[in-house]
Amino acid sequence: MAQLVGPLRKELADSLSSCRVLVVGAGGIGCELLKNLVLTGFKNIEVIDLDTIDVSNLNRQFLFQKKHVGKSKAQVAKESVLRFCPSANITAYHDSIMNPDYNVEFFRNFQLVMNALDNRAARNHVNRMCLAADIPLIESGTAGYLGQVTVIKKGQTECYECQPKPTQKTFPGCTIRNTPSEPIHCIVWAKYLFNQLFGEEDADQEVSPDTADPEVAWNPADAAARATASNKDGDIKRVSTKEWARSTGYDPVKLFNKVQLFKDDIMYLLTMDKLWKKRKAPLPLDWTEIHQLESSQEEAFGSGLKDQQVLGVQGYAQLFHRSVKTLRSQLIEKGEGAELVWDKDDPPAMDFVTAAANLRMNVFSMNMKSRFDVKSMAGNIIPAIATTNAVIAGLIVLEALKTLNSDFDQCRTIFLNKQPNPRKKLLVPCALDPPNPNCFVCASKPEVTVKLNVHKTIVQALQDKILKEKLGMVAPDVQIEDGKGTILISSEEGETEANNNKFLSDFGIRNGSRLQADDFLQDYTLLVNLIHSEELEKDVEFEVVGDAPDKAPAPNVPEEGKNIANGNKDSAQPSTSSKAAAEDDDVLIVDSDEEPSSSTMETSPESSNRKRKHHDADTDDAASKRKRLDQQPADDDEDIIALD
């Protein structure tokens, strides 16, 4: 340790021993960072992470061992790091950073905050808390071979939310339920089916045919008559999939042929003849017919490990049968009213989704996928590289030393590239940008405009989908600027619950109305301007317009044809926030070691005219262009952090 601390000025070395720092996240980057901090001389460290250790973490999170599986990441990381430096004072919190206990006063206890997070919601929150507390934040991320570190300081640099982020890709319900055209549609459907059968039922995850599909031109009232042929047994109930499944004893064959699956529902879809005029119609599967196939036709194909092989229809039907029986046994063991939670690392759950998704792919004439491919898409997994985490954690410490030494003008955004740039460098520094004056988070008077239909948008949707999910608030209080100070939403439980299912128009809200939204936890006030519109696109409930997140430039496709991403709206639970949906951020690749402005992201030729020339120890050249990579949702694995 003496060798590491020795080169530092005595004043800086002393300050490391006395200053308090907060590390948010104890996963891939977090483990490396905690080790680096104590070896560099930091003595007072607090670390927070909600997650527990999983077997899949052990290949890169080196503070953990097999005996630690199931234990708190933060607590075990603390214990492991103390073996490097027993004199360190480390406090571990097995909790969500979005817990109201960690308020602005909590953040003011630290001289520096370092993020090692895996999801945008928690990162947005920490960004706002550091702004409110006026504490420097070092943001970081890795995605496979790519990595990034940047420094955020109130009033001097862009905050995390200054630059717009691409919106997470979602799929319309009618596409999932009626007209899937890509394997991912079938995989999402299979995950919904798992929840409907074995987990917590969700009305937004319905899997049966959608008779309200706008493409279905005939009267939905005729659906029952048209589908009579598919309901001959008379025991089909479309009220509760789980109830029906329980009544059959979770009989795999009945599940296969009947409700919500591969025969009856497909025959029901075929009655919606308008859907199939320009599409290939689905082909129902029958359990008996499948098992009459010659075994020679059902051999797996593909090379490599068993999980990388693609089975035939019969093979996936058998896998479906086995997985249903296993999941049924798990439910019985848990007792009456029990529910299962889908987990990509749980073999029976993964088998079920693999089988159900592939059978549906076959029904809709798609090429089936291996278990490996299905797991990658269902769990939104991208490669996690231990070396990348180590490099980024080292860079975090270097930027931390600059910040604590008051050398803020020397701080940089640093990108780790997958391949050396033309100047043969993997690490590329970029000057920090000043705050975006139009940012709806760090501007002096944050303001945003939302387009919606006031006659169709209910208060609950405003709170959950717009203020919390889209605009990153945790516990908003909303007042209508109507001269009366009408309280629309209160963060106090039950206080405005009666408003939840009322339309905005019921409160006199119309085109041009303004709402003041306050989040006292984040010490954040946002003025929301509402524009009434009856011409929103299909399946679009609202649009944030102006300088808002969904105005990000259209991303380019990477040369490798692969997407790098983070977050999964369907199933991922972030490791450091309780229920926040993990989301995808944008990744920047820098093509040279020259020092551009860190937010110069445009790829058009004219964008180069806006790039500023900055001085760096290695080069005096002008900034070069950077490419922006498309992002798809990824897993909640803590070191698979999308880059901005």
Side-chain angles (χ1 to χ4, degrees):
M1 185 176 72
Q3 291 181 337
L4 291 174
V5 177
L8 301 178
R9 287 189 305 105
K10 184 179 185 302
E11 294 83 355
L12 177 57
D14 291 342
S15 71
L16 299 189
S17 298
S18 59
C19 73
R20 294 180 66 184
V21 297
L22 174 65
V23 175
V24 188
I29 294 178
C31 282
E32 293 286 343
L33 177 58
L34 288 167
K35 177 258 297 178
N36 288 351
L37 289 174
V38 295
L39 291 179
T40 306
F42 287 85
K43 295 291 187 181
N44 300 293
I45 305 168
E46 299 190 23
V47 57
I48 182 168
D49 196 307
L50 178 64
D51 224 350
T52 54
I53 298 163
D54 187 80
V55 173
S56 63
N57 303 145
L58 302 182
N59 70 336
R60 62 199 175 281
Q61 297 172 25
F62 301 125
L63 296 181
F64 309 142
Q65 300 175 31
K66 190 174 182 180
K67 65 183 180 181
H68 297 135
V69 170
K71 296 183 179 180
S72 162
K73 284 188 173 180
Q75 186 61 39
V76 174
K78 167 190 170 178
E79 295 168 1
S80 299
V81 165
L82 286 175
R83 295 172 63 188
F84 292 99
C85 183
S87 62
N89 177 27
I90 303 176
T91 303
Y93 303 93
H94 179 60
D95 206 350
S96 164
I97 192 61
M98 298 175 79
N99 186 319
D101 291 343
Y102 310 111
N103 54 23
V104 174
E105 290 305 314
F106 172 80
F107 276 81
R108 286 185 178 138
N109 291 324
F110 305 100
Q111 280 72 57
L112 183 63
V113 177
M114 289 165 272
N115 267 353
L117 283 163
D118 66 348
N119 69 94
R120 189 187 299 174
R123 294 161 84 190
N124 286 347
H125 180 70
V126 174
N127 173 62
R128 296 179 189 194
M129 299 305 287
C130 288
L131 290 173
D134 197 9
I135 301 299
L137 168 65
I138 300 182
E139 178 61 68
S140 67
T142 64
Y145 291 100
L146 303 176
Q148 174 186 320
V149 173
T150 193
V151 181
I152 297 170
K153 186 169 176 59
K154 182 178 181 178
Q156 297 188 43
T157 73
E158 287 184 335
C159 78
Y160 175 71
E161 298 170 81
C162 270
Q163 292 302 322
K165 309 288 193 298
T167 304
Q168 181 180 357
K169 186 176 181 180
T170 57
F171 307 107
C174 55
T175 299
I176 299 297
R177 295 165 64 181
N178 289 0
T179 55
S181 58
E182 302 174 24
I184 187 62
H185 299 156
C186 300
I187 293 168
V188 171
W189 178 88
K191 289 174 68 177
Y192 285 178
L193 179 62
F194 177 92
N195 287 335
Q196 297 286 21
L197 289 174
F198 307 106
E200 181 180 357
E201 292 183 276
D202 186 338
D204 292 332
Q205 295 185 354
E206 183 57 70
V207 292
S208 61
D210 182 8
T211 56
D213 190 331
E215 287 193 65
V216 180
W218 44 268
N219 188 343
D222 296 337
R226 287 174 172 253
T228 299
S230 69
N231 293 344
K232 289 179 181 178
D233 292 341
D235 61 346
I236 294 181
K237 297 179 182 179
R238 297 185 181 274
V239 177
S240 170
T241 305
K242 185 177 290 185
E243 269 184 44
W244 185 89
R246 283 175 177 165
S247 72
T248 70
Y250 284 96
D251 185 299
V253 178
K254 289 184 178 180
L255 289 179
F256 188 98
N257 281 336
K258 303 293 182 183
V259 175
Q260 318 291 10
L261 298 184
F262 312 108
K263 182 181 178 183
D264 285 12
D265 265 8
I266 303 305
M267 293 176 69
Y268 190 94
L269 279 174
L270 289 172
T271 67
M272 303 179 187
D273 44 14
K274 296 287 186 182
L275 294 175
W276 317 115
K277 288 191 173 181
K278 296 182 180 179
R279 296 183 181 92
K280 184 174 181 179
L283 300 172
L285 292 175
D286 181 90
W287 180 267
T288 304
E289 293 177 1
I290 287 176
H291 285 77
Q292 290 175 349
L293 292 172
E294 293 292 333
S295 58
S296 60
Q297 296 177 330
E298 292 301 313
E299 293 179 0
F301 58 90
S303 58
L305 301 173
K306 182 179 178 181
D307 275 8
Q308 294 175 323
Q309 297 177 344
V310 179
L311 308 180
V313 175
Q314 188 183 76
Y316 284 122
Q318 292 171 347
L319 183 62
F320 178 85
H321 189 280
R322 291 195 301 271
S323 63
V324 168
K325 292 178 68 175
T326 303
L327 294 169
R328 177 182 62 191
S329 298
Q330 290 181 356
L331 275 179
I332 293 173
E333 287 178 11
K334 284 179 171 286
E336 185 67 26
E339 294 176 344
L340 302 181
V341 177
W342 189 83
D343 185 343
K344 70 182 187 305
D345 294 315
D346 178 42
M350 193 63 240
D351 286 345
F352 177 87
V353 168
T354 299
N358 273 297
L359 291 168
R360 190 163 174 87
M361 288 179 218
N362 182 269
V363 165
F364 286 90
S365 302
M366 299 177 213
N367 292 328
M368 294 187 290
K369 298 291 183 180
S370 69
R371 190 178 191 275
F372 179 86
D373 289 336
V374 173
K375 184 174 182 178
S376 296
M377 288 187 273
N380 298 317
I381 298 170
I382 59 173
I385 310 298
T387 309
T388 307
N389 294 331
V391 172
I392 293 303
L395 291 171
I396 293 173
V397 174
L398 292 177
E399 293 305 306
L401 294 176
K402 296 177 190 176
T403 303
L404 294 173
N405 199 37
S406 301
D407 292 332
F408 193 75
D409 58 336
Q410 298 299 315
C411 290
R412 297 288 183 267
T413 295
I414 304 172
F415 296 92
L416 173 62
N417 285 344
K418 184 176 181 180
Q419 298 175 349
N421 64 14
R423 298 178 68 87
K424 300 182 180 180
K425 292 195 175 182
L426 287 172
L427 294 175
V428 183
C430 303
L432 301 174
D433 274 299
N436 177 0
N438 296 316
C439 176
F440 70 85
V441 173
C442 68
S444 57
K445 294 183 179 180
E447 188 170 340
V448 72
T449 299
V450 179
K451 183 188 293 185
L452 46 72
N453 189 323
V454 298
H455 304 300
K456 294 182 178 180
T457 303
I458 62 173
V459 174
Q460 185 83 53
L462 172 68
Q463 173 184 279
D464 294 344
K465 295 185 178 181
I466 300 177
L467 297 176
K468 290 185 177 181
E469 184 177 326
K470 187 68 176 179
L471 299 178
M473 290 185 159
V474 175
D477 291 278
V478 179
Q479 177 178 306
I480 307 172
E481 291 195 350
D482 55 1
K484 306 174 187 177
T486 303
I487 303 298
L488 188 65
I489 298 171
S490 172
S491 58
E492 294 294 329
E493 187 174 354
E495 194 169 288
T496 55
E497 190 174 343
N499 296 346
N500 286 351
N501 293 316
K502 294 181 180 179
F503 295 106
L504 298 184
S505 56
D506 294 338
F507 297 88
I509 295 174
R510 59 185 187 275
N511 186 54
S513 290
R514 290 155 64 96
L515 309 176
Q516 180 175 304
D518 296 289
D519 192 316
F520 293 107
L521 172 61
Q522 297 178 339
D523 193 15
Y524 173 53
T525 297
L526 177 66
L527 183 63
V528 182
N529 301 297
L530 297 181
I531 297 177
H532 171 68
S533 174
E534 297 184 2
E535 299 180 353
L536 293 170
E537 295 181 11
K538 174 185 171 184
D539 295 313
V540 174
E541 297 181 58
F542 66 90
E543 292 180 8
V544 179
V545 296
D547 293 292
D550 59 346
K551 294 293 287 183
N556 292 330
V557 178
E559 292 180 7
E560 294 89 342
K562 296 182 180 179
N563 293 326
I564 303 166
N566 178 64
N568 174 17
K569 186 175 181 180
D570 296 321
S571 66
Q573 291 299 319
S575 63
T576 48
S577 66
S578 56
K579 291 289 287 182
E583 302 219 13
D584 51 317
D585 295 343
D586 44 311
V587 179
L588 303 181
I589 286 187
V590 182
D591 295 323
S592 82
D593 63 328
E594 300 159 354
E595 188 178 332
S597 158
S598 62
S599 68
T600 308
M601 301 162 69
E602 294 85 359
T603 59
S604 57
E606 60 268 26
S607 69
S608 61
N609 297 328
R610 293 193 291 273
K611 297 183 179 181
R612 306 193 301 271
K613 187 178 285 189
H614 295 278
H615 180 77
D616 184 81
D618 295 328
T619 178
D620 291 324
D621 295 331
S624 68
K625 286 182 282 185
R626 269 173 281 163
K627 296 180 181 178
R628 190 171 185 186
L629 304 190
D630 188 15
Q631 288 280 310
Q632 297 299 326
D635 178 34
D636 61 330
D637 206 0
E638 35 292 311
D639 53 328
I640 304 175
I641 301 175
L643 310 178
D644 35 308

